[in-house]
């Protein structure tokens, strides 16, 4: 008999700010969802760094993680991810070293290579960078250095951070981070929830080129997917129109608060916009419990992921809670092997 392994489910949260709400409301909703996710048995709860977006509240990622960690007990918390080009590695090491010191054994550091914003905002974040030199591999290794044991003659230490061995993940939506994660022996998370095109190629590249590390002797691949669940397929499709509108607005260059759902999304987009949005959101599972179970099992069969992360931008907080609750009811069915 073939041994099977249960595949954990995790949560990605952008701390969405619905139309008519304030960031404070989004933070309270994120804490509530994190507390429920812990109770429902999710493995991790990650926040994503974005800037200059009035519909996303998780810009100060490490600060918000501290708020969520203080209000939970056991669920792992982390970044999905910190956009490393925006920061000096030492500062990130100190921030996540502080979190790990306060909440030991619960903190993950997921790193992204994109700025998570537009060019003008990127310059406001790191004005001295020209953007012509890719320092990401060097910065990742510098972070590893700051979380490792103090070396003889080490002039600069992360305090706190040094010796805490905070787990580092690499995030990506292309082949670049898959290759780097394989080279460095790090876990890898693919952002197929908004950029699905290279998912299978990236996973293959990561696994075939993986170089074992002490902490990760085997490759560990996580796949992120959108899931909007409700008690009926029709209700789920209605809720999903908020995320579709959000992507329409992004394509138009006018991001804003998360819109309320609409009955007829087709009245809002052009044919070209429909094609682009549906392509970007093609890795989305929308429906009731049966639909969600089938969709996640299919995703697991096709990707052989070691972990699945679920994103769900839903306007109404209670509906969002219900969506993740439905997802949690199928987690014990997700097995590989």
């Amino acid at each position: 008999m073939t041994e099977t392994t249960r595949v954990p489910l995790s949560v990605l949260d952008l701390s969405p700010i619905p139309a008519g709400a304030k960031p404070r409301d989004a933070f309270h909703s994120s804490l509530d969802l994190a507390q429920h996710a812990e109770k429902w048995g999710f493995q991790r709860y990650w926040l994503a760094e974005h800037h200059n977006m009035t519909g996303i509240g998780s810009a100060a990622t490490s600060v918000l993680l501290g708020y969520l960690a203080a209000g939970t007990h056991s669920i792992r918390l982390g970044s999905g991810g910190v956009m490393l080009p925006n920061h000096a590695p030492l500062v990130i090491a100190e921030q996540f070293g502080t979190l790990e010191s306060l909440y030991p054994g619960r903190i993950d550091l997921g790193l992204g290579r994109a700025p998570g914003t537009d060019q003008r905002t990127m310059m406001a974040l790191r004005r001295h960078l020209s953007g012509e030199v890719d320092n990401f591999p060097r910065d990742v290794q510098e972070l590893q250095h700051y979380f490792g044991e103090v070396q003889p003659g080490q002039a600069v230490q992360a305090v706190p951070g040094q010796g805490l061995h905070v787990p580092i993940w690499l995030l990506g939506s292309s082949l670049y981070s898959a290759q780097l994660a394989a080279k460095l022996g790090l876990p890898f998370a693919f952002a197929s929830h908004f950029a699905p095109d290279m998912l299978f190629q990236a996973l293959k590249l990561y696994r075939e080129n993986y170089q074992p590390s002490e902490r990760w002797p085997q490759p560990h691949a996580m796949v992120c997917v959108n899931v909007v669940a409700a008690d009926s397929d029709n209700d789920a499709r209605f809720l999903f129109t908020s995320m579709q509108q959000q992507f329409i607005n992004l394509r138009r260059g006018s991001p804003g608060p998360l819109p309320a759902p609409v009955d007829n999304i087709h009245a809002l987009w052009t044919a070209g916009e429909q094609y682009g949005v549906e392509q970007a959101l093609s890795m989305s599972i929308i429906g009731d419990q049966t639909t969600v179970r089938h969709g996640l099992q299919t995703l697991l069969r096709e990707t052989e992921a070691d972990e699945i992360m679920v994103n769900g931008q839903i306007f109404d907080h209670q509906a969002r809670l219900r969506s993740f609750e439905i997802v949690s009811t199928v987690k014990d069915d997700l097995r590989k092997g």
Side-chain angles (χ1 to χ4, degrees), residues 120-248:
R120 191 171 298 176
T121 307
M122 181 180 71
M123 294 303 295
L125 288 162
R126 292 290 297 278
R127 296 178 183 179
H128 63 284
L129 286 183
S130 67
E132 296 175 359
V133 179
D134 184 4
N135 294 321
F136 186 66
R138 187 193 68 189
D139 287 350
V140 172
Q141 291 176 299
E142 187 177 339
L143 263 173
Q144 291 179 303
H145 174 70
Y146 288 136
F147 287 135
E149 300 301 325
V150 178
Q151 299 300 306
Q154 183 174 335
V156 179
Q157 297 183 30
V159 183
Q162 209 72 51
L164 295 183
H165 302 283
V166 175
I168 292 176
W169 293 63
L170 296 193
L171 283 55
S173 58
S174 65
L175 305 182
Y176 182 99
S177 289
Q179 292 174 298
L180 184 60
K183 180 180 179 180
L184 297 179
L186 294 174
F188 174 61
F190 193 87
S192 45
H193 60 297
F194 71 86
D197 290 353
M198 294 186 181
L199 169 62
F200 295 101
Q201 190 177 354
L203 292 178
K204 184 173 186 291
L205 191 68
Y206 171 64
R207 289 165 175 151
E208 289 183 350
N209 295 279
Y210 189 77
Q211 299 180 23
S213 60
E214 182 177 354
R215 184 166 196 146
W216 299 95
Q218 300 293 329
H220 188 96
M222 180 157 63
V223 174
C224 188
V225 61
N226 300 304
V227 178
V228 176
D231 293 320
S232 73
D233 285 355
N234 283 338
D235 286 348
R237 284 192 290 267
F238 173 71
L239 296 174
F240 185 53
T241 62
S242 291
M243 196 181 303
Q244 290 172 313
Q245 291 177 79
Q246 190 177 50
F247 272 69
I248 293 171

